[in-house]
Amino acid sequence: MVRTCPTLPPRMLVLDRRVAVVPIDPADTKRGAICISEAGVVASMVALFEQTWHSAVPLGADRSKDARTGLSTSEQELLTLLASGLTDEVPGRRLGISAHSVRRQMSGLMERLDASSRFEAGLKAARRGWLR
């Protein structure tokens, strides 16, 4: 299956959930790679891949709205990033938008959820199954 998403994790290969291969220098992958077999590091890489996979949509699918939640792809990604405890600036950089745009989108989500705080919005989004 092929899926697409607006943001990608660093290049990596994970084999049998036991070994990961990552570039020595992510900016210059021609410099070589390193094999990692430490369970904690490999588990983190698997979790990163799974988070990215779940936020992606099948190739050719309409990315404008998630049929299940009614959220746009950027809204879904924003909720996921903010739910992980990141400040407005980090999701903004990852999504290629300003911190002001992050706050504006979050304000719209809070209004749709009828929430008076981000914390309440997070609770309501989780109850609705909007967080992945």
Side-chain angles (χ1 to χ4, degrees):
M1 178 182 266
V2 176
R3 296 175 70 93
T4 62
C5 65
T7 59
L8 293 174
R11 289 183 127 185
M12 69 175 128
L13 292 172
V14 178
L15 309 164
D16 296 330
R17 296 179 178 258
R18 294 189 326 223
V19 176
V21 180
V22 295
I24 292 171
D25 180 356
D28 183 9
T29 57
K30 294 177 185 172
R31 293 193 57 211
I34 185 169
C35 289
I36 302 168
S37 58
E38 284 77 16
V41 175
V42 174
S44 294
M45 292 181 158
V46 168
L48 175 61
F49 171 81
E50 288 175 347
Q51 180 181 4
T52 303
W53 182 262
H54 290 297
S55 71
V57 297
L59 184 64
D62 180 10
R63 297 190 61 86
S64 61
K65 295 277 183 189
D66 180 308
R68 182 180 59 83
T69 65
L71 296 173
S72 70
T73 303
S74 64
E75 289 171 328
Q76 181 69 57
E77 185 76 11
L78 176 62
L79 273 175
T80 301
L81 292 169
L82 290 174
S84 68
L86 299 174
T87 63
D88 292 345
E89 289 74 20
V90 175
R93 281 194 302 271
R94 290 192 187 172
L95 297 172
I97 60 176
S98 69
H100 175 75
S101 293
V102 168
R103 288 187 286 276
R104 184 181 47 74
Q105 284 188 17
M106 192 60 210
S107 176
L109 288 167
M110 288 173 59
E111 187 176 317
R112 285 171 58 192
L113 289 163
D114 192 30
S116 58
S117 70
R118 285 183 174 211
F119 181 77
E120 183 182 9
L123 288 174
K124 288 183 173 185
R127 287 183 187 138
R128 292 185 185 191
W130 288 9
L131 298 175
R132 294 181 181 167

